[in-house]
Amino acid sequence: MPGFSFQLKKTDGGARLGEIETAHGNVRTPAFMPVGTQAAVKAVRPDEVRALGTDIVLANTYHLMLRPGAERIAVLGGLHRFMNWPHPILTDSGGFQVMSLSPLRKLDANGVTFRSHLDGAMVALTPERAVEIQDLLGADIAMQLDECIKLPAASAEVERAMRLSLSWAERSKRAFEHAKDRALFGIVQGGTDVNLRLESARVLIDLSFPGYAIGGLAVGEPQEVMLALLDLVTPVLPEDRPRYLMGVGTPEDLLEAVSRGIDLFDCVLPTRNGRHGLAFTRFGAVNLRNARHADDARPLDPESPYGLARDYSRAYLHHLLKANEMLAAMLISASNLAYYQELMHGMRVAIAAGRFADFREQTRAAWARGDLPALT
Amino acid sequence: MPGFSFQLKKTDGGARLGEIETAHGNVRTPAFMPVGTQAAVKAVRPDEVRALGTDIVLANTYHLMLRPGAERIAVLGGLHRFMNWPHPILTDSGGFQVMSLSPLRKLDANGVTFRSHLDGAMVALTPERAVEIQDLLGADIAMQLDECIKLPAASAEVERAMRLSLSWAERSKRAFEHAKDRALFGIVQGGTDVNLRLESARVLIDLSFPGYAIGGLAVGEPQEVMLALLDLVTPVLPEDRPRYLMGVGTPEDLLEAVSRGIDLFDCVLPTRNGRHGLAFTRFGAVNLRNARHADDARPLDPESPYGLARDYSRAYLHHLLKANEMLAAMLISASNLAYYQELMHGMRVAIAAGRFADFREQTRAAWARGDLPALT
């Protein structure tokens, strides 16, 4: 596939070090993608998203097709230019949001019709239209349309959705054939059923995608269920293609999934929690809304390599949250992204050095140590 | 006054070029102070506020005394450290906000008692307490407590408030006598009555403050009334002291007030309007919420020296506003501050070169030219 390639550089246990090449630059894997739902990573400027060590961001087909519209973005020069992010972009297919956000939807083999949560207009999404929208946006990595179902669900229902997603994978691939310098990933579905997951993976592999996602996880099931499924599914995926675990996750999820062979992640947690005053640090999560920070002159993490966690006191961040200052969301979201990217960087360095197991143990020990003790 | 001085470097017509020296650095005048009401310039990080060319910011005594509390900020190392702004800070005295924000207030010669708009607690503010709070915050420039009244008002009422403010000026000055490395400014009051304004100025000059503010203007009166009062009041103020026009204003207000000898300004307009999608540019104001921008790939000002006005399309900023993305407020507020500081810089350069009249004319001509024509 010209303009898109994946190079697996090294493995260390299950963990993989690699690099994705795209027409808009390279992505060092394992990689975390900040989420820019509406063509903006919430409360963080794109130049800063980049400066924090981000190689690739995710944007949402569902939101952008409804507002400002994919055709409009295409006329304006494509999504990279629109959001002032000249680096790699992955777009999802809209399937997940159709299920979770639309007040009304009608699904058949052809596709899904749904009511926009913005203006109530009826909109149709088919595998072909999802590909077309992602073409118009100009995503470096596009995703096939899939049907996401809420778990737990009856196994017949899980199987039906899995098979529908496979038939949509085939149609998506056909619709994407003309695309140049971009890649389409297939999505493994099948709920928590190992046999369905393996069958889904096998069919997708036969179709031969340049990358494979695992969808429909981290939707409420216990972490050990997710990890057990990864243990079983990732070994059947081709070694020479990137593996993307969709919508995951916490720092611990990332560490554990990388150790099981995952290369790509996206999640709203660092920015969403940032807006709510929850900070991720090397010593676990810190709720800056907690009154214990009101008089605490110490920074979030005095030894952080990143200024935002070092230059502002907990008392100040607490004050900004109480005072509803946007600056709180800006500083904590950026600080959280910095920590996520620092964690990914640490994993990449550790894999390169063949000491991922040590890194994992040390990282878990620091989280277990927990936050600085409260002032007395 | 050790640690505080003002040097008048050059005049050009009525316009003055100067420099204020404070313990936290110098302020090139004429200067515009972004407003950090709650110890934060809304939606702009302090490092960026600085990078945009800001020498000094304003913070509000009223807000900070109520939350997080002046004593708390003092224990945390003072306001400069609290808000991560190691440069000059001016604090107002709280008088204006007591009048405009408190649901209940009782005023007598001693001071004012009011109900907090946050939690309903009764709080007292006297000239001495206002000085004490500003001591605790560590402001480089503190303001005397004054009584602000709403205009229009009966002339007897204007005179009463003016005289009360003068007696508070004297008490404020006495309370401030111990302060080192910081300055207290007096505030000329008197509504739109020229005689009251001149009397207020004369009494304050007899008290000898290191700087003089003109308060109670730009509160709804026509711009020409404000400018006519400046024409009459600034000539009586001592040449060797900085002059601060409080709460002003639009770019045009700044240009006209500088031409009448004003050195310092503060205003919420660039950040407040930025949050609402109104951008200030070299070619006047642009309402980015207007639908005409939805398909406009052009930046706000293609020739702006500042990246924020150049690197994002109008269509993108319009989209961010419609989508309620904080990034809209962040980008437009910063872009507005950049334009304000560019304007102040332009005025300083012009005064230094003895061509302020030309600069004023060219600037007004560019505003009159107006925004780029809409796309057809």
Side-chain angles (χ1 to χ4, degrees), chain B residues 100-327:
Chain B
S100 60
L101 293 179
S102 304
L104 182 84
R105 59 182 178 271
K106 221 187 101 211
L107 183 116
D108 60 28
N110 186 50
V112 57
T113 311
F114 62 93
R115 201 177 280 289
S116 159
H117 75 288
L118 293 179
D119 62 3
M122 289 307 296
V123 185
L125 196 59
T126 61
E128 292 76 17
R129 176 62 181 156
V131 162
E132 183 184 22
I133 290 168
Q134 295 177 85
D135 279 351
L136 290 162
L137 297 174
D140 299 287
I141 302 177
M143 302 303 297
Q144 67 151 101
L145 187 65
D146 59 344
E147 185 195 350
C148 294
I149 56 169
K150 292 209 168 83
L151 295 181
S155 62
E157 176 68 2
V158 174
E159 181 170 354
R160 186 201 54 71
M162 182 275 271
R163 295 201 188 286
L164 181 64
S165 295
L166 286 178
S167 88
W168 286 1
E170 197 178 346
R171 283 167 56 190
S172 299
K173 188 158 193 290
R174 211 156 39 228
F176 196 78
E177 259 161 13
H178 68 284
K180 287 192 172 53
D181 294 341
R182 303 189 296 108
L184 177 75
F185 283 16
I187 304 177
V188 177
Q189 288 288 2
T192 54
D193 184 308
V194 175
N195 286 324
L196 292 181
R197 285 277 172 186
L198 292 176
E199 184 184 346
S200 173
R202 273 192 297 267
V203 175
L204 291 172
I205 292 164
D206 285 345
L207 288 169
S208 184
F209 284 90
Y212 296 90
I214 300 174
L217 287 182
V219 290
E221 79 284 359
Q223 192 201 38
E224 63 259 33
V225 171
M226 177 180 85
L227 296 179
L229 282 163
L230 292 186
D231 279 331
L232 293 161
V233 174
T234 54
V236 310
L237 296 174
E239 268 219 317
D240 62 347
R241 310 286 160 96
R243 303 153 178 181
Y244 163 29
L245 181 56
M246 302 182 81
V248 173
T250 63
E252 194 189 11
D253 289 335
L254 304 187
L255 187 67
E256 294 307 314
V258 165
S259 80
R260 288 161 174 83
I262 296 295
D263 307 304
L264 266 178
F265 302 90
D266 81 278
C267 194
V268 297
L269 268 188
T271 46
R272 177 176 293 164
N273 282 4
R275 293 197 300 286
H276 296 153
L278 203 74
F280 292 105
T281 79
R282 295 182 297 148
F283 303 107
V286 179
N287 184 354
L288 288 161
R289 285 198 172 273
N290 192 306
R292 81 179 178 95
H293 301 293
D295 294 295
D296 195 337
R298 297 173 301 180
L300 202 45
D301 177 357
E303 288 161 39
S304 168
Y306 187 61
L308 287 180
R310 221 179 39 220
D311 298 344
Y312 298 85
S313 67
R314 289 162 182 246
Y316 184 60
L317 297 171
H318 176 78
H319 164 68
L320 293 177
L321 287 163
K322 298 271 286 184
N324 286 319
E325 284 287 341
M326 276 189 211
L327 189 57

Side-chain angles (χ1 to χ4, degrees), chain A residues 7-235:
Chain A
Q7 189 195 354
L8 179 63
K9 295 182 159 180
K10 194 172 192 305
T11 60
D12 181 8
R16 295 149 48 97
L17 181 73
E19 190 147 355
I20 299 172
E21 193 184 310
T22 82
H24 288 93
N26 289 9
V27 179
R28 299 160 292 177
T29 63
F32 177 77
M33 300 185 278
V35 176
T37 303
Q38 303 187 104
V41 176
K42 288 191 192 300
V44 189
R45 267 169 48 177
D47 50 338
E48 187 172 11
V49 171
R50 184 66 174 179
L52 298 176
T54 302
D55 289 346
I56 178 170
V57 299
L58 175 143
N60 286 107
T61 281
Y62 172 86
H63 290 86
L64 295 177
M65 71 188 282
L66 298 182
R67 184 175 59 198
E71 278 74 8
R72 169 174 279 148
I73 289 178
V75 170
L76 289 164
L79 186 57
H80 294 83
R81 187 161 156 195
F82 185 63
M83 63 190 287
N84 199 18
W85 177 262
H87 317 294
I89 298 176
L90 180 148
T91 47
D92 68 2
S93 64
F96 182 80
Q97 279 78 19
V98 166
M99 299 303 149
S100 59
L101 293 179
S102 304
L104 181 85
R105 57 183 179 272
K106 222 188 100 209
L107 183 118
D108 60 28
N110 186 49
V112 57
T113 309
F114 62 93
R115 201 178 279 289
S116 160
H117 74 288
L118 293 180
D119 62 4
M122 290 306 297
V123 184
L125 196 59
T126 62
E128 292 76 15
R129 175 63 181 157
V131 162
E132 183 185 22
I133 290 168
Q134 296 176 86
D135 279 351
L136 289 163
L137 297 174
D140 300 287
I141 303 177
M143 303 301 298
Q144 68 150 102
L145 186 66
D146 59 344
E147 185 195 349
C148 293
I149 56 169
K150 290 211 170 81
L151 296 182
S155 63
E157 176 67 2
V158 174
E159 182 171 351
R160 186 201 53 74
M162 181 275 272
R163 294 199 190 286
L164 181 63
S165 295
L166 286 178
S167 88
W168 287 0
E170 199 179 343
R171 283 168 55 190
S172 299
K173 190 159 190 290
R174 210 156 40 228
F176 196 80
E177 259 161 14
H178 68 283
K180 288 193 172 51
D181 295 339
R182 305 188 297 107
L184 177 77
F185 283 16
I187 304 177
V188 177
Q189 289 288 2
T192 55
D193 184 308
V194 175
N195 286 325
L196 292 181
R197 286 278 174 186
L198 292 175
E199 185 184 345
S200 173
R202 272 192 299 266
V203 175
L204 290 172
I205 293 164
D206 285 346
L207 288 170
S208 185
F209 284 89
Y212 297 91
I214 301 174
L217 288 182
V219 289
E221 79 284 359
Q223 191 200 40
E224 62 259 33
V225 172
M226 177 179 85
L227 297 179
L229 281 163
L230 293 186
D231 279 331
L232 294 160
V233 173
T234 54

Side-chain angles (χ1 to χ4, degrees), chain A residues 39 42 45 48 295 316 325, chain B residues 39 42 45 48 316 325:
Chain A
K42 288 191 192 300
R45 267 169 48 177
E48 187 172 11
D295 294 294
Y316 184 59
E325 284 286 343
Chain B
K42 288 192 190 299
R45 269 169 46 178
E48 188 172 9
Y316 184 60
E325 284 287 341

